[in-house]
Amino acid sequence: MGMKDYLESDSSDSDASATGVSGGGRKALLKRKDKKRKDKEPALAPKEDKTIVKNKQRVMILSSRGITQRYRHLMSDIFTMLPHSKKDSKLDSKSKLHIINELAADNQCNNTLFFEVRKHKDLFLWMSRTPNGPSVKFLVQSVHTMDELRMTGNCLKGSRPILSFDKNFDNPTTPHMNLLKEMFSQVFGTPRTSRKIKPFIDHVLSFSVVGDMIWFRNYQIIEKQIEGEKQPETSLVEIGPRFSLSIVRIFSGSFMGSTLYENPDYVSPNAERSELRRESQAKYKRRLAQKDGKEEPVFEEDEFKDVFV
């Protein structure tokens, strides 16, 4: 042991002897003091879990080649309603839809709305959760844009909406409607962390189920203060656009994968047009038969006509 260590030990022993407390008794005295000090201190509250779950949703909107003017205006209206969306250029191919997953990854988007137009007449809307799915294919009908309607309602650009869903979306016997509700919430529900939003909630996006179709409406929230009443009167005024969606098929992947649900009542627009042509031809044949004075033969309905449809 060095001279320095010897002097320190000697001084500590002299201090302990001066106070009249031995080495073991001094340690016990210090422990009692520490215990009294801890008893006097207030108990610290348990730390709260400050983990915040951020809703990071971004939607990529694009269309195929050959989109018409009305459908292009509808796509612009939806892009205006969604401040967390991003536009992309038109997609050339209609068969290789898996390319959209790569475009969404480049744009850092986890949701996609793809407007597919066929024969310059029929509009199909793909709603996908990229890159792993699921995805839904809709047939869009009864399209009316904001410019066509010219409704009196108005809302602030970039404001957050309230999503209103029909009770049919919560029916436990229809799990595909529960899935659609979740997908609509992720696509049309504007996250509060988006950079382009305004801190206001002044409109409602309504999703209603009538028959086999989903009807979309956009309403403005108006509050009027009435004299003699404390609470203001709330009313809704439609803004637009409006359209209806008919489910075609739900896939497990993004623009691919196995079929989770297929609408049994879906009839393609081509089948509807061919049926209308057959009806018009039948009317023409009956009119010619009446002119010639001949009776048109009546054939019995074939009960197996829908077997190979």
Side-chain angles (χ1 to χ4, degrees):
M1 182 170 62
M3 182 62 69
K4 185 176 180 181
D5 297 335
Y6 175 77
L7 293 175
E8 288 178 356
S9 63
D10 188 22
S11 61
S12 62
D13 293 340
S14 62
D15 294 340
S17 60
T19 54
V21 181
S22 62
R26 189 169 180 270
K27 291 182 180 179
L29 181 62
L30 292 175
K31 287 182 179 180
R32 285 197 297 270
K33 288 183 178 180
D34 292 340
K35 187 176 180 181
K36 290 180 180 179
R37 190 183 302 113
K38 290 180 180 179
D39 294 339
K40 291 181 180 179
E41 292 178 356
L44 298 177
K47 293 184 179 181
E48 297 180 358
D49 188 9
K50 297 183 178 180
T51 305
I52 300 175
V53 180
K54 293 185 178 180
N55 182 19
K56 295 182 179 181
Q57 303 291 339
R58 296 192 66 186
V59 183
M60 184 181 69
I61 300 177
L62 73 162
S63 67
S64 62
R65 293 287 179 183
I67 187 171
T68 60
Q69 181 181 7
R70 171 177 289 183
Y71 297 152
R72 186 173 65 251
H73 286 177
L74 175 64
M75 186 178 67
S76 300
D77 293 343
I78 294 178
F79 175 73
T80 306
M81 284 192 306
L82 305 179
H84 60 294
S85 61
K86 186 174 182 180
K87 264 188 179 181
D88 202 88
S89 58
K90 296 179 181 179
L91 189 68
D92 295 328
S93 176
K94 295 182 181 179
S95 59
K96 302 177 181 179
L97 298 182
H98 58 86
I99 303 175
I100 301 178
N101 296 325
E102 301 177 4
L103 297 176
D106 294 339
N107 292 319
Q108 297 180 354
C109 296
N110 52 4
N111 296 289
T112 302
L113 289 177
F114 175 57
F115 293 81
E116 182 183 2
V117 181
R118 294 188 178 274
K119 296 185 177 181
H120 300 276
K121 297 178 182 179
D122 307 325
L123 175 62
F124 294 92
L125 175 62
W126 286 84
M127 183 173 63
S128 175
R129 177 75 177 178
T130 55
N132 299 322
S135 57
V136 190
K137 184 179 181 181
F138 297 103
L139 173 64
V140 185
Q141 296 174 319
S142 305
V143 175
H144 299 282
T145 61
M146 289 185 182
D147 293 336
E148 293 178 352
L149 295 174
R150 295 191 179 275
M151 295 289 186
T152 57
N154 192 11
C155 66
L156 184 66
K157 184 178 180 180
S159 61
R160 299 178 65 198
I162 297 175
L163 302 183
S164 174
F165 291 95
D166 192 358
K167 63 180 180 180
N168 293 320
F169 283 95
D170 298 326
N171 192 349
T173 59
T174 55
H176 64 281
M177 299 302 292
N178 301 334
L179 175 62
L180 290 180
K181 179 181 179 181
E182 181 64 27
M183 295 184 69
F184 282 134
S185 301
Q186 294 178 1
V187 172
F188 290 92
T190 304
R192 60 185 302 175
T193 56
S194 180
R195 293 178 296 175
K196 297 181 181 179
I197 67 167
K198 303 296 188 300
F200 300 100
I201 298 176
D202 58 356
H203 64 289
V204 179
L205 300 182
S206 173
F207 298 89
S208 304
V209 179
V210 179
D212 296 330
M213 306 183 71
I214 301 172
W215 297 81
F216 175 86
R217 295 290 185 270
N218 183 19
Y219 298 100
Q220 177 192 2
I221 303 174
I222 298 179
E223 293 184 352
K224 292 182 179 180
Q225 190 65 40
I226 302 176
E227 297 181 359
E229 294 186 6
K230 296 182 180 179
Q231 297 295 334
E233 182 182 358
T234 305
S235 60
L236 299 177
V237 179
E238 188 173 357
I239 304 173
R242 59 165 66 169
F243 54 89
S244 61
L245 301 174
S246 179
I247 305 173
V248 180
R249 190 173 295 184
I250 301 178
F251 300 92
S252 60
S254 179
F255 300 99
M256 64 181 73
S258 59
T259 302
L260 298 179
Y261 174 78
E262 185 176 2
N263 188 4
D265 300 327
Y266 169 71
V267 180
S268 64
N270 290 332
E272 291 182 356
R273 284 191 289 267
S274 62
E275 184 66 26
L276 291 175
R277 284 196 297 269
R278 282 195 294 268
E279 290 180 0
S280 62
Q281 291 173 2
K283 290 180 181 179
Y284 178 71
K285 289 179 180 178
R286 286 195 298 268
R287 192 163 56 247
L288 289 180
Q290 290 177 0
K291 286 182 179 180
D292 297 339
K294 299 179 181 179
E295 294 183 359
E296 185 180 6
V298 179
F299 299 97
E300 295 182 0
E301 186 178 1
D302 187 6
E303 58 183 2
F304 302 104
K305 65 177 182 179
D306 297 332
V307 172
F308 301 101
V309 175

